[in-house]
């Protein structure tokens, strides 16, 4: 429960309010100033004057939305005025930015005159790419939106109307599917005939509900044909011939209740009177028309949704407006039409049937979430909503002819949406895309684990790899059924009962017989999933292996070294992490394998890391880290790093490498420039070689949890065939991403021609546009 003082403190502490303007371009020097303002700014002005569409190229217009209100219908507070409504409009801006990376200015208009509001908004068209109307009372809101849509050439959207309609529409579609009712036969009762109620009724009609099967109820009772009191053209459209006069009458035999009205107006008796498998969408805020506890106490067959996060099936408008505007802005739509709204509803309904990411499960208490009566619409913090809904809206805009800048490549568009969720997601999209071009056989020794099975479903659905699951066939099949997955055709191998078990034992025994292994030991070890999986890779029955979800790194690394072994010429393998920040990406080693590396080990780690980074078509800049800069402290630990630098230079004279140096010297170019101009390191380092595993592990975890980096890895360096490690307890999405990286590594070993590799790596490098590497 949010308390008054907590809410006031949230808005008042630190910088007042909830929003600020941040420059997207540097303004640190006189030259920057001349480009940002006069005289340089004159050039884009001239271009826009000559071609107005260039405003989308040279200004923020294409990603800028105005949130406009006159404060006449603010949440449950009513007409509190434009100024008092400002915190809500700022909050709307926060949600636009957080969920869809859309910039917002909130504009509060101190007027109750609809025509004044219309004229004010019309004059803002040159500034904004879209208009979000907010908290304007009915029926004026209908007139204002309709007029603006007719007279403006950018999207205008009244969220209070359409947001609730779109989200609840998705809930309706899925709830009807669960109970097995046809949308064209159901009877729907609407409580509330204001902005949201009328919009819900209109959208439900578009989704397939027959108008004659709808009954609207407002504060005067049922909206019936011939009623005079409290009517307007919008209510008149839905007036029906009925003897029902009050809400209780209308609810009898109803299949669906859609409430956007007031707390507590629905009784238990009303819910009892509804048809079998009733669907109750009680969306009054902050308290619903009937509580979840009361409704479920009288109907065990009910499907219920509310506006609250502490009950199942929260109908939250944040599932709509950010993503609808994202899709509309990205195709420069002239309007948001009915088809775009329907596309948004169907996208949400379809997404709810997909496997729910672990990050979302954790955010909502950690219990498994699956499609059903208590989960009919996605959760607000599901990051996939952006990808599904914005894409659906953009496609609908194109199909209905309102898109002025159609998307030519939707795969690339989805990649751009991933980038808005974070640079690391964009980087991983590259690996997923490339894996899809030539999927490889990846063996999962932990094939009985739920997360592995859920990841396998995504891997199969997206054609990333051909998973091979190790474990008990009976157990895995049962778990697949329990999880509601469809993994027919996926290979399952029980090592102890495998047809090639004896052949693998013989091969393994031959490899290890002079390492103290007996034939009996070989048979016993071969029933161990990691060892069997490594033999599959060694004997080319699988292309790569991914393990470590339930084990420590040595449990995977040790058999990899014993069976697959190191590449020729490699003394020690190592682990490399890619750390992706918003504006910078660095690689760090070794945080995985070598606890106290010698100077020779550090040199080899640096060389292997540089080699791997070059595979991504990135020129390595290597810093060998210590607690001293260039001989500033004489100590065996610093001497070891200095010696490692010498060994690296001796092995690869052209590699940009220097040390020993402190971490800040490595990543802040000005320190080297001002204090150590002799250094061969030019610019900030993109590969950090830590002096031991302790420092590397601490560094990457601190950078991840406090520095805002996303860690991708670890990648094993120096192993002869692709073996990748999972972090114990990682998410399904992490398993999918690491599978894509494993497939990519397999492809480098296999069938790619040099010119193909060059083209592919060029695409990888383009994933880092806008950030320093």
């Amino acid at each position: 429960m949010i308390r008054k003082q907590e809410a006031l403190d949230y808005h008042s502490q630190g910088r007042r309010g909830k929003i600020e303007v941040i420059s997207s371009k540097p303004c640190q020097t006189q030259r920057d100033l001349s480009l940002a303002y006069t005289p340089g700014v004159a050039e884009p002005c001239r271009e826009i004057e000559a071609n107005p569409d260039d405003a989308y190229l040279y200004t923020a217009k294409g990603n800028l939305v105005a949130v406009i209100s006159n404060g006449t219908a603010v949440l449950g507070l009513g007409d509190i005025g434009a100024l008092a409504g400002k915190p809500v409009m700022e909050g709307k801006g926060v949600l636009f930015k957080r969920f869809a990376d859309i910039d917002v200015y909130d504009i509060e208009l101190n007027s109750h005159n609809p025509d004044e509001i219309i004229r004010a908004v019309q004059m803002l068209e040159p500034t904004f790419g879209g208009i979000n109307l907010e908290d304007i009372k009915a029926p004026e809101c209908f007139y204002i939106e309709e007029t603006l849509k007719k007279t403006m050439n950018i999207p205008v959207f009244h969220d209070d109307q359409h947001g609730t309609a779109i989200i609840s529409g998705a809930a309706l579609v899925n709830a009807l599917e669960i109970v097995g009712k046809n949308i064209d036969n159901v009877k729907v009762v609407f409580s509330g005939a204001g902005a949201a109620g009328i919009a819900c009724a209109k959208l439900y009609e578009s989704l397939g509900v027959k108008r004659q099967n709808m009954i609207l109820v407002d504060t005067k009772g049922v909206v019936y044909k011939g009623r005079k009191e409290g009517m307007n053209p919008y209510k008149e459209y839905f007036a029906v011939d009925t003897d029902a006069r009050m809400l209780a009458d209308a609810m009898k035999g109803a299949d669906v209740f859609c409430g956007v009205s007031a707390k507590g107006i629905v009784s238990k008796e009303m819910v009892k009177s509804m048809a079998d498998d009733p669907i109750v969408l009680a969306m009054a805020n902050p308290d619903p028309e009937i509580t979840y506890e009361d409704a479920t106490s009288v109907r065990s067959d009910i499907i219920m949704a509310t506006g609250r996060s502490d009950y199942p099936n929260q109908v939250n408008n944040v599932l709509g407006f950010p993503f609808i505007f994202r899709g509309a802005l990205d195709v420069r739509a002239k309007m948001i039409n009915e088809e775009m709204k329907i596309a948004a509803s169907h996208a949400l309904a379809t997404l709810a049937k997909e496997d729910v990411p672990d990050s979302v499960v954790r955010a909502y208490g950690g219990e498994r979430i699956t499609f059903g009566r208590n989960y009919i619409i996605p959760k607000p913090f599901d990051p996939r909503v952006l990808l599904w809904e914005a894409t659906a809206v953009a496609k609908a805009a194109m199909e209905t002819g309102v898109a002025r800048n159609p998307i030519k490549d939707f795969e690339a568009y989805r990649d751009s949406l991933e980038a808005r969720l974070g640079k690391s997601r964009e980087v991983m999209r590259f690996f997923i895309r490339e894996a899809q071009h030539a999927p490889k056989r990846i063996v999962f020794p932990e094939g009985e684990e739920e997360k592995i099975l859920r990841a396998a479903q995504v891997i199969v659905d997206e054609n990333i790899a051909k998973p091979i699951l190790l474990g008990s066939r009976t157990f895995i099949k049962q778990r697949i059924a329990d999880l509601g997955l469809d993994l027919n055709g996926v290979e399952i191998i029980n090592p102890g009962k495998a047809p090639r078990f004896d052949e693998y034992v013989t091969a393994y025994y031959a490899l290890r017989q002079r390492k103290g292994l007996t034939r009996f030991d070989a048979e016993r070890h071969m029933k161990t999933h990691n060892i069997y999986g490594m033999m599959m890779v060694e004997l080319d029955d699988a292309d790569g292996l991914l393990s470590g979800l339930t084990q420590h790194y040595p449990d995977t690394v040790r058999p990899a070294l014993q069976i697959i072994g190191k590449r020729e010429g490699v003394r020690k393998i190592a682990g490399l992490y890619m750390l992706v920040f918003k504006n910078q990406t660095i690689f760090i080693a070794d945080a995985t394998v070598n606890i106290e590396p010698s100077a020779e080990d550090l040199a080899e780690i640096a060389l292997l890391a540089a080699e791997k980074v070059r595979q991504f078509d990135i020129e390595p800049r290597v810093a060998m880290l210590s607690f001293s800069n260039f001989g500033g402290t004489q100590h065996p630990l610093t001497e070891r790093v200095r010696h490692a630098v010498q060994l690296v230079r001796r092995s690869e004279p052209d590699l940009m490498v220097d040390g020993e140096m402190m971490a800040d010297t490595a990543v802040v170019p000005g320190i080297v420039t001002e204090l150590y101009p002799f250094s061969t390191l030019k610019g900030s380092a993109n590969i950090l070689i830590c002096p031991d595993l302790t420092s590397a592990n601490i560094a990457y975890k601190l950078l991840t949890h406090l520095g805002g980096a996303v860690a991708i890895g670890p990648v094993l360096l120096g192993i002869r065939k692709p073996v990748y490690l999972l972090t114990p307890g990682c998410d399904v999405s992490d398993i999918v991403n690491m599978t894509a990286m494993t497939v990519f590594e397999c492809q480098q070993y296999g069938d790619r021609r040099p010119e193909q590799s060059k083209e592919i790596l060029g695409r990888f490098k383009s994933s880092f546009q806008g950030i320093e590497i």
Side-chain angles (χ1 to χ4, degrees):
M1 182 69 178
I2 300 297
R3 303 194 180 279
K4 177 180 178 179
Q5 193 56 50
E6 182 183 4
L8 294 176
D9 290 345
Y10 177 84
H11 286 79
S12 64
Q13 290 179 352
R15 182 186 288 269
R16 304 292 192 257
K18 299 189 288 283
I19 58 175
E20 64 177 321
V21 176
I22 298 175
S23 172
S24 63
K25 300 293 186 294
C27 190
Q28 305 294 329
T29 66
Q30 178 62 40
R31 184 173 184 80
D32 291 342
L33 185 60
S34 297
L35 289 168
Y37 201 56
T38 185
V41 74
E43 298 307 325
C45 292
R46 293 188 183 103
E47 295 297 315
I48 295 168
E49 182 185 24
N51 179 18
D53 278 351
D54 279 353
Y56 290 94
L57 177 63
Y58 297 117
T59 77
K61 177 182 173 74
N63 196 52
L64 190 61
V65 166
V67 173
I68 297 178
S69 178
N70 68 347
T72 53
V74 180
L75 301 177
L77 304 174
D79 185 353
I80 62 174
L83 181 59
K86 183 173 174 61
V88 176
M89 308 315 135
E90 286 190 358
K92 202 79 170 186
V94 171
L95 301 182
F96 266 110
K97 188 66 178 177
R98 163 62 178 81
F99 289 97
D101 193 29
I102 292 172
D103 299 315
V104 163
Y105 287 123
D106 62 292
I107 297 174
E108 291 73 36
L109 298 175
N110 193 19
S111 174
H112 283 63
N113 185 324
D115 291 311
E116 286 183 353
I117 294 170
I118 289 168
R119 184 60 189 138
V121 176
Q122 287 170 333
M123 288 190 291
L124 294 171
E125 184 166 352
T127 302
F128 296 99
I131 303 293
N132 183 96
L133 299 174
E134 192 74 19
D135 293 347
I136 301 173
K137 72 181 180 71
E140 290 89 338
C141 62
F142 303 122
Y143 167 62
I144 291 170
E145 186 193 40
E146 287 172 1
T147 305
L148 291 175
K149 288 178 73 171
K150 290 175 184 175
T151 58
M152 297 184 74
N153 209 30
I154 57 175
V156 178
F157 184 82
H158 185 203
D159 182 51
D160 300 297
Q161 294 183 56
H162 311 299
T164 303
I166 289 165
I167 316 310
S168 67
L172 174 67
V173 168
N174 278 343
L176 289 174
E177 178 180 325
I178 290 168
V179 300
K181 294 182 181 181
N182 293 322
I183 195 167
D184 54 354
N185 293 329
V186 294
K187 175 185 174 183
V188 184
V189 175
F190 297 86
S191 175
I198 294 291
C200 285
K202 283 186 176 179
L203 189 74
Y204 289 13
E205 184 180 22
S206 297
L207 289 170
V209 179
K210 295 276 198 303
R211 198 194 321 170
Q212 61 265 29
N213 292 339
M214 301 184 196
I215 296 180
L216 262 66
V217 183
D218 63 9
T219 55
K220 307 297 181 184
V222 170
V223 176
Y224 59 89
K225 283 194 174 178
R227 196 184 98 171
K228 303 299 182 184
E229 188 180 8
M231 294 295 286
N232 59 49
Y234 308 101
K235 295 181 186 179
E236 194 65 53
Y237 177 83
F238 289 103
V240 292
D241 285 318
T242 179
D243 294 330
R245 289 296 181 267
M246 301 304 292
L247 179 60
D249 304 327
M251 292 276 282
K252 291 176 182 176
D255 298 286
V256 181
F257 170 79
C258 174
V260 281
S261 49
K263 170 186 177 181
I265 65 168
V266 173
S267 67
K268 292 182 180 183
E269 287 69 28
M270 292 180 191
V271 175
K272 275 186 184 179
S273 73
M274 295 179 72
D276 291 342
D277 292 307
I279 298 165
V280 174
L281 311 176
M283 299 175 289
N285 259 325
D287 298 302
E289 286 80 0
I290 183 171
T291 66
Y292 179 79
E293 292 83 0
D294 283 351
T296 55
S297 72
V298 294
R299 294 298 296 263
S300 61
D301 59 344
I302 195 171
I303 294 180
M304 186 169 180
T306 70
R308 295 178 60 119
S309 60
D310 52 349
Y311 294 146
N313 302 317
Q314 182 189 18
V315 177
N316 190 321
N317 283 18
V318 79
L319 281 168
F321 66 86
F323 315 109
I324 292 165
F325 268 99
R326 181 75 276 155
L329 292 174
D330 289 340
V331 295
R332 294 187 202 165
K334 293 181 285 188
M335 64 171 63
I336 295 172
N337 58 28
E338 199 71 7
E339 292 83 357
M340 293 160 75
K341 299 173 200 170
I342 292 170
S345 281
H346 283 301
L348 289 169
T350 304
L351 177 58
K353 300 170 190 176
E354 297 289 311
D355 187 56
V356 179
D358 293 330
S359 59
V360 178
V361 173
R362 281 198 306 272
Y364 289 89
E367 291 187 12
R368 182 114 171 84
I369 301 171
T370 56
F371 179 66
R373 290 175 178 265
N374 289 329
Y375 178 66
I376 56 177
I377 45 176
K379 298 292 187 181
F381 282 99
D382 191 331
R384 301 169 302 168
V385 177
L386 174 63
L387 309 181
W388 285 64
E389 191 172 353
T391 301
V393 169
K395 284 182 178 177
M398 291 166 57
E399 290 165 0
T400 55
V402 299
R404 289 172 293 184
N405 185 39
I407 293 167
K408 296 180 176 62
D409 182 348
F410 270 95
E411 186 176 283
Y413 177 59
R414 284 178 66 89
D415 290 347
S416 72
L417 293 176
E418 289 272 12
R420 293 186 183 279
L421 293 172
K423 205 67 188 177
S424 64
R425 295 178 69 98
E426 183 182 10
V427 171
M428 289 317 307
R429 281 298 302 173
F430 160 81
F431 288 109
I432 289 172
R433 232 175 30 243
E434 294 310 319
Q436 291 167 334
H437 290 312
K440 299 296 182 182
R441 301 164 301 169
I442 306 301
V443 60
F444 294 88
E446 298 154 304
E448 297 178 352
E449 293 297 318
E450 176 185 321
K451 288 182 180 179
I452 296 293
L453 295 174
R454 290 169 53 210
Q457 186 70 71
V458 178
I459 291 162
V460 169
D461 289 347
E462 297 199 17
N463 195 34
I464 293 169
K466 300 170 184 176
I468 303 169
L469 306 173
L470 300 188
S472 164
R473 177 179 295 274
T474 303
F475 183 86
I476 291 175
K477 287 283 189 183
Q478 184 59 53
R479 199 149 207 190
I480 288 171
D482 292 344
L483 293 170
L485 305 177
D486 180 10
L487 292 175
N488 291 328
V490 169
E491 188 173 2
I492 301 172
I493 298 174
N494 186 335
K497 298 179 180 180
R500 299 190 64 185
F501 180 79
D502 290 337
E503 184 181 342
Y504 278 25
V505 169
T506 300
Y508 179 53
Y509 177 58
L511 276 174
R512 303 292 299 170
Q513 61 188 353
R514 291 188 178 274
K515 303 289 185 180
L517 188 82
T518 66
R519 175 81 189 194
F520 175 79
D521 292 333
E523 290 183 2
R524 182 166 51 84
H525 289 183
M526 197 51 58
K527 295 176 183 178
T528 304
H529 295 183
N530 266 346
I531 290 179
Y532 189 92
M534 297 296 174
M535 287 301 299
M536 290 189 71
V537 176
E538 175 62 15
L539 298 178
D540 294 326
D541 290 331
D543 300 300
L545 178 144
L546 186 60
S547 185
L549 178 67
T550 61
Q551 309 163 63
H552 297 298
Y553 289 153
D555 296 324
T556 302
V557 173
R558 189 180 301 110
L561 288 172
Q562 291 173 345
I563 296 169
I564 295 173
K566 302 183 289 288
R567 281 169 30 203
E568 186 176 351
V570 172
R571 293 173 54 258
K572 293 280 185 75
I573 67 168
L576 178 73
Y577 277 92
M578 180 191 300
L579 298 179
V580 183
F581 298 84
K582 182 177 181 180
N583 298 311
Q584 186 178 21
T585 293
I586 63 172
F587 300 84
I588 190 166
D590 169 19
T592 310
V593 180
N594 298 284
I595 298 175
E596 292 183 348
S598 65
E600 290 77 13
D601 296 337
L602 288 173
E604 187 166 35
I605 292 167
L607 291 167
L608 288 171
E611 178 187 45
K612 175 59 66 177
V613 169
R614 279 203 188 99
Q615 287 182 9
F616 300 144
D617 201 28
I618 298 169
E619 190 57 36
R621 300 188 299 274
V622 184
M624 309 287 283
L625 301 184
S626 185
F627 59 84
S628 169
N629 284 319
F630 307 107
T633 301
Q634 299 301 317
H635 188 278
L637 293 178
T638 58
E639 178 57 36
R640 183 180 61 180
V641 177
R642 283 196 293 274
H643 182 41
V645 173
Q646 294 169 1
L647 294 173
V648 172
R649 287 175 174 164
R650 195 178 305 158
S651 298
E652 194 172 333
D654 294 332
L655 176 63
M656 188 186 299
V657 59
D658 213 341
E660 90 285 11
M661 67 176 71
M662 296 182 185
D664 56 346
T665 306
V667 298
V668 181
I671 295 178
V672 168
T673 303
E674 294 177 19
L675 301 179
Y676 310 105
F678 55 82
S679 173
T680 56
L681 182 66
K682 305 304 178 187
S684 62
N686 54 18
I687 300 176
L688 305 179
I689 305 300
C690 295
D692 54 32
L693 190 145
T694 299
S695 58
N697 192 273
I698 290 170
Y700 104 79
K701 289 187 175 179
L702 283 175
L703 289 170
T704 300
H705 294 285
L706 298 181
V710 175
I712 299 173
V715 177
L716 276 186
L717 306 174
I719 204 80
R720 192 165 57 82
K721 290 186 176 182
V723 173
Y724 272 61
L725 301 175
L726 293 173
T727 302
C730 65
D731 290 349
V732 168
S733 60
D734 298 322
I735 298 168
V736 173
N737 290 339
M738 292 305 292
T739 302
M741 291 187 74
T742 309
V743 171
F744 181 79
E745 182 89 358
C746 295
Q747 291 169 345
Q748 309 314 303
Y749 279 84
D751 46 19
R752 285 270 163 80
R753 298 189 303 274
E755 60 271 21
Q756 285 180 305
S757 294
K758 186 174 181 180
E759 176 190 347
I760 289 162
L761 292 169
R763 290 202 296 271
F764 177 81
K765 197 170 184 179
S766 72
S767 298
F768 288 104
Q769 285 182 349
I771 67 174
E772 181 186 344
I773 303 175

